[in-house]
Amino acid sequence: MLETGGSARDLVGFMLPESGGLVGSADPARPYVLLDAAGAVVEPVERFFNELQACGRPPATVRSYGMDLLRWWRFLAGWGLAWDRVTRVDARDFARWMQLAPKPVRVHWRRRSQAASTPPPAQPLVGLPNTVTGRAAPGPMYSARTRVHSEAVLRSFYAFHLDEGTGPIINPFPDGRGRRRPPGSGRSFRVPSGGRYRPSVPTRLPRRIPDHRFNELFAALKYNRDRALLAFWVSNGARAEELLTSRQRDPLPGDQLLGVVRKGTRAYQQLPSSPDAFVWLRLYQEESWRAGTPRDPAAPL
């Protein structure tokens, strides 16, 4: 039930239903599909995924967008709303709910038989920072960055269907209210300021670890393979999954380059790396070759 100019929904007490799901597919043309409560493919999301793929977005991006759309579809199911009949009041309530309500606590499938009789464990009010890196642990509430990503995804989803003529006649997630330029700038038109329901994101310090802590970590490693991986990761900044794409032909110690496949573009790129990393890599390779590992340039490094 909606009130004039506002909403009478109990957003704090609302529980997001566990209906539908985002399912991976072996079909490269459909890397992920969104299913509704009845197990049917959500067709408007399917068309949006096709648009993302046509724009060159990798499957990881499709999955990231799909998780936000799944949350939105569950919110719609919880209030009995149709995706193409929502208003800006509904979108505003969704943004308020993500700010006010705690994240749903998902019970592991092995413990679901005990969930009815066992209360969920208590969670801290805020995420406590790591004593070494200073990074805050995930808290019980949706973070500002999660809400920013969700707002951007839903705004682009409805903008796509607005262009296609298949959604609401107005975007329920509007652009932000513009800001006028200061006097004397020579122009008085409004400058877009992003989504209207986009929260402010606090400035985050770079992730870090003190040198002596890193030395302790490196000294605790038992295998040259792990030392090589850590040395490459620190020196060239590649993701862990990117380092695991390297083949035996990819390291070039003379040029201090290591070839990897980048996560987003899936493009091959040679990254400058430290000499120490190649030393640990060579020690690991000598061990593995003595153990019988074949020397195949196309084999994993």
Side-chain angles (χ1 to χ4, degrees):
M1 182 179 69
L2 297 179
E3 295 177 345
T4 302
S7 170
R9 296 188 177 108
D10 179 15
L11 300 177
V12 177
F14 173 70
M15 299 296 295
L16 196 70
E18 293 191 45
S19 58
L22 186 68
V23 181
S25 170
D27 185 358
R30 303 172 67 195
Y32 289 94
V33 293
L34 185 67
L35 305 180
D36 59 15
V41 176
V42 180
E43 192 268 341
V45 175
E46 179 83 357
R47 295 204 301 271
F48 182 59
F49 284 172
N50 293 339
E51 177 76 4
L52 293 177
Q53 192 175 53
C55 294
R57 303 298 187 269
T61 299
V62 176
R63 181 185 182 278
S64 177
Y65 280 40
M67 296 302 295
D68 290 318
L69 287 165
L70 174 61
R71 187 186 302 112
W72 171 244
W73 238 257
R74 287 174 171 176
F75 183 85
L76 297 177
W79 294 107
L81 301 173
W83 77 274
D84 55 351
R85 294 291 186 268
V86 294
T87 65
R88 289 187 175 176
V89 174
D90 303 319
R92 185 175 63 204
D93 281 351
F94 178 73
R96 294 170 59 207
W97 170 76
M98 288 195 68
Q99 181 179 358
L100 299 173
K103 292 183 292 187
V105 179
R106 303 301 180 192
V107 181
H108 195 277
W109 63 269
R110 294 177 179 174
R111 301 184 178 91
R112 287 182 179 176
S113 59
Q114 309 172 4
S117 57
T118 304
Q123 294 186 346
L125 296 179
V126 295
L128 297 178
N130 186 287
T131 57
V132 176
T133 64
R135 182 184 180 188
M141 311 296 288
Y142 288 106
S143 68
R145 293 186 180 275
T146 300
R147 291 185 281 124
V148 164
H149 191 271
S150 177
E151 187 275 338
V153 169
L154 295 177
R155 180 156 45 91
S156 63
F157 169 76
Y158 279 101
F160 163 74
H161 283 285
L162 184 62
D163 292 340
E164 295 289 311
T166 53
I169 59 175
I170 62 172
N171 193 330
F173 293 87
D175 292 332
R177 305 181 191 275
R179 301 172 182 172
R180 291 191 180 277
R181 291 183 180 272
S185 62
R187 297 180 181 180
S188 60
F189 59 83
R190 292 181 175 269
V191 181
S193 56
R196 185 179 302 179
Y197 305 137
R198 177 188 179 94
S200 299
V201 179
T203 302
R204 185 175 62 181
L205 293 175
R207 297 178 183 178
R208 64 201 185 281
I209 182 173
D211 289 343
H212 69 280
R213 291 289 190 177
F214 177 79
N215 294 335
E216 292 176 3
L217 171 63
F218 201 88
L221 299 178
K222 297 181 179 180
Y223 305 104
N224 289 327
R225 176 183 181 272
D226 298 338
R227 298 186 182 103
L229 281 170
L230 184 58
F232 276 118
W233 176 67
V234 170
S235 63
N236 60 29
R239 296 178 174 88
E241 63 180 274
E242 294 173 345
L243 291 175
L244 296 178
T245 63
S246 296
R247 303 293 173 175
Q248 291 188 21
R249 60 172 175 264
D250 293 329
L252 301 176
D255 299 326
Q256 296 185 21
L257 296 175
L258 178 69
V260 300
V261 177
R262 302 316 297 257
K263 174 185 176 183
T265 62
R266 308 306 301 171
Y268 180 80
Q269 184 177 5
Q270 292 179 318
L271 303 177
S273 305
S274 68
D276 290 343
F278 289 102
V279 172
W280 292 113
L281 174 63
R282 186 64 177 184
L283 293 173
Y284 162 66
Q285 287 180 312
E286 292 293 341
E287 293 175 354
S288 60
W289 289 334
R290 287 196 298 267
T293 302
R295 302 195 184 199
D296 182 3
L301 180 60

